[in-house]
């Protein structure tokens, strides 16, 4: 994953919403969604729960 995708992932793991991530990283909500789509594709998951489980396994 890219460094920005890791930042998004870390905030997801902390339980942040897309809106909170957007504010924290100073990026648009659509950019957050795009990063999440890219992360899900790379990690072969479909949601936040599966993502956190897979990376922490």
């Amino acid at each position: 994953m890219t460094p920005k995708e890791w930042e998004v992932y870390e905030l997801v793991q902390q339980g942040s919403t897309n809106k909170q991530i957007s504010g924290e990283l100073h990026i648009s909500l659509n950019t957050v969604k795009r990063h999440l789509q890219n992360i899900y594709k790379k990690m072969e998951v479909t949601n936040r729960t599966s993502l956190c489980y897979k990376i922490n396994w």
Side-chain angles (χ1 to χ4, degrees):
M1 290 194 295
T2 67
K4 186 61 78 175
E5 288 170 351
W6 274 110
E7 287 182 271
V8 171
Y9 164 73
E10 288 171 355
L11 291 171
V12 166
Q13 181 133 15
Q14 294 172 17
S16 298
T17 65
N18 288 358
K19 187 174 181 179
Q20 290 168 329
I21 294 168
S22 173
E24 178 77 21
L25 299 180
H26 307 289
I27 57 178
S28 76
L29 192 54
N30 285 333
T31 301
V32 173
K33 291 177 182 178
R34 173 56 70 186
H35 283 311
L36 283 171
Q37 287 174 346
N38 291 341
I39 293 167
Y40 292 166
K41 186 175 180 181
K42 289 176 183 180
M43 299 305 295
E44 299 177 341
V45 297
T46 57
N47 58 51
R48 290 170 187 254
T49 304
S50 297
L51 174 65
C52 292
Y53 179 79
K54 185 166 188 168
I55 290 183
N56 287 319
W57 181 249

